Amino acid sequence: AVPLYLSEMAPPKSRGAICSGFELCTGMGVMLAQVTNYATDKIKGGWGWRISLAMAALPASILTIGAIFIPETPNSLIQRNSDHLKAKMMLQRIRGTDDVQAELDDLIKASEVSKTITHNPFRKIMQKKYRPQLVMAIVLPFFQQMTGISAIIFYAPVLFRTIGFGESASLMSAVATGVVGSVATFISMLIVDKHGRRVLLLIGGIQMLISHVVVGGILAAELKDHGGMSKGYCIVVLVLICFYVAGYWCSWGPLGWLIPSEIFPLEIRSAGQSISVAVRFLFIFILAQTSLSMLCHFKSGIFFFFGGWVAVMSGLVYLFLPETKGIPMEQMEKVWREHWFWKRFTGEE
């Protein structure tokens, strides 16, 4: 719900940066979790992991309390309560100007259209004219996980121990990747509304593909059956993993949440976002359960496996994903009508 909420509240010209802030905070949370694991690893008597786990209650409490104070979006005020005056006041407040009538009219029109829909939104999204949005709701979160990021986040300490780092050095290396990810996400926030979504996805894909291929090649050539490599190669692998993490968090990390949150018309927005989130967490679960076994059986091959998926998804982005920067959510359907492939679907009523 958070990316969708931010997309509805953000002005079109800075929607990418504001929504990417969600992923920045997520990345910083991952980094702080890794720092916590590193710090509590020194605690003896079996209390380290217990303290680390218990500390997760603090951000969860802040999140729960903070949710009480956030306002409704203008879309929600119009859709649920038909309160146009309150929606206009909210728009004026979040836009910082009184000149919001044109945007308000777009929101009212979108709400009126959505209220004429009698079908369940999950049935509605199956119609041919919504095929582009449905496909993106499925393939974007799927590809986001097939970059291999979950395997890196969950099992980075295991990977670093395998190639030769000690216990503490492995945890510190995981912290380093968290720092790199946070910095990369911040950079993405600065440039996503200037250069667009497609450019970042393609550059990030190339960056991740290079990392996967080179790391896989080094491990295939240098990693022995019992594990361990020379210190020089360990450092090279760490640098390449950081290069990969930077590529992910500058592109597919934030944009994998941003794009699904901005492409759905109001009448199918709840269904589309639900499908997107469900697909994402389904594959997070699957990869969390299988990545360690894949790492043990595939060894260096796991990097070529994920690298292959990165190559495929980059090609599909180039061919089938239109640019969405700066376009109001209520006018987003025009990007599908003008796309060389998807325009054949969007003409059906």
Side-chain angles (χ1 to χ4, degrees), residues 292-343:
L292 189 57
S293 296
M294 290 171 63
L295 181 61
C296 294
H297 288 87
F298 288 1
K299 296 182 174 65
S300 61
I302 193 172
F303 290 93
F304 298 112
F305 172 77
F306 287 123
W309 280 108
V310 170
V312 170
M313 60 201 251
S314 298
L316 293 179
V317 164
Y318 180 79
L319 293 172
F320 298 112
L321 182 67
E323 183 55 67
T324 58
K325 73 168 183 176
I327 300 174
M329 293 173 67
E330 289 69 36
Q331 302 174 20
M332 193 64 70
E333 63 182 31
K334 72 179 183 181
V335 305
W336 309 108
R337 291 201 306 266
E338 297 170 357
H339 189 269
W340 70 272
F341 180 79
W342 298 118
K343 65 182 180 181

Side-chain angles (χ1 to χ4, degrees), residues 36-303:
T36 301
N37 289 338
Y38 178 76
T40 56
D41 181 59
K42 307 297 182 182
I43 299 175
K44 305 299 182 182
W47 283 98
W49 68 269
R50 291 182 172 88
I51 294 174
S52 176
L53 185 62
M55 289 180 68
L58 177 60
S61 300
I62 296 173
L63 186 66
T64 302
I65 296 171
I68 299 173
F69 299 98
I70 61 174
E72 290 283 357
T73 68
N75 303 67
S76 178
L77 291 171
I78 294 171
Q79 182 74 0
R80 296 173 61 227
N81 304 320
S82 298
D83 194 338
H84 297 177
L85 178 59
K86 193 171 182 180
K88 183 175 182 179
M89 293 174 61
M90 178 57 67
L91 269 177
Q92 291 172 336
R93 177 182 172 189
I94 62 179
R95 298 293 183 259
T97 177
D98 293 334
D99 185 18
V100 297
Q101 191 60 47
E103 184 175 359
L104 180 64
D105 290 342
D106 283 342
L107 296 179
I108 294 172
K109 181 180 178 180
S111 177
E112 290 173 349
V113 170
S114 70
K115 288 179 179 179
T116 64
I117 305 302
T118 56
H119 298 304
N120 181 290
F122 286 96
R123 291 181 58 191
K124 186 71 177 177
I125 200 173
M126 299 300 172
Q127 294 182 4
K128 183 179 178 181
K129 68 176 181 178
Y130 298 120
R131 194 67 48 77
Q133 294 94 331
L134 176 61
V135 170
M136 292 302 164
I138 296 172
V139 301
L140 287 176
F142 168 74
F143 283 142
Q144 185 189 45
Q145 295 309 308
M146 295 311 292
T147 59
I149 190 63
S150 293
I152 297 297
I153 290 177
F154 294 154
Y155 299 112
V158 175
L159 172 63
F160 291 134
R161 282 200 305 272
T162 300
I163 65 176
F165 286 106
E167 183 76 25
S168 295
S170 298
L171 291 172
M172 181 53 70
S173 298
V175 172
T177 61
V179 173
V180 170
S182 297
V183 173
T185 308
F186 182 72
I187 293 172
S188 178
M189 290 177 60
L190 298 179
I191 62 178
V192 65
D193 289 307
K194 179 179 180 180
H195 298 291
R197 285 65 162 148
R198 282 169 50 88
V199 170
L200 291 186
L201 288 174
L202 292 172
I203 293 175
I206 293 171
Q207 191 168 330
M208 289 187 289
L209 178 59
I210 292 171
S211 302
H212 277 309
V213 171
V214 177
V215 170
I218 291 175
L219 295 184
E222 299 295 330
L223 188 63
K224 302 174 178 58
D225 291 338
H226 55 77
M229 297 189 304
S230 68
K231 184 177 180 180
Y233 278 115
C234 288
I235 294 173
V236 170
V237 169
L238 174 59
V239 170
L240 287 168
I241 293 295
C242 289
F243 184 67
Y244 159 84
V245 168
Y248 172 83
W249 289 105
C250 197
S251 59
W252 280 90
L255 300 186
W257 287 98
L258 167 62
I259 296 172
S261 74
E262 65 183 0
I263 62 174
F264 301 110
L266 188 58
E267 62 267 24
I268 60 166
R269 192 168 294 165
S270 60
Q273 188 70 3
S274 298
I275 292 170
S276 178
V277 173
V279 171
R280 176 176 289 106
F281 282 104
L282 171 63
F283 282 96
I284 288 176
F285 172 78
I286 291 173
L287 288 172
Q289 300 304 311
T290 60
S291 291
L292 189 57
S293 296
M294 290 171 63
L295 181 61
C296 294
H297 288 87
F298 288 1
K299 296 182 174 65
S300 61
I302 193 172
F303 290 93

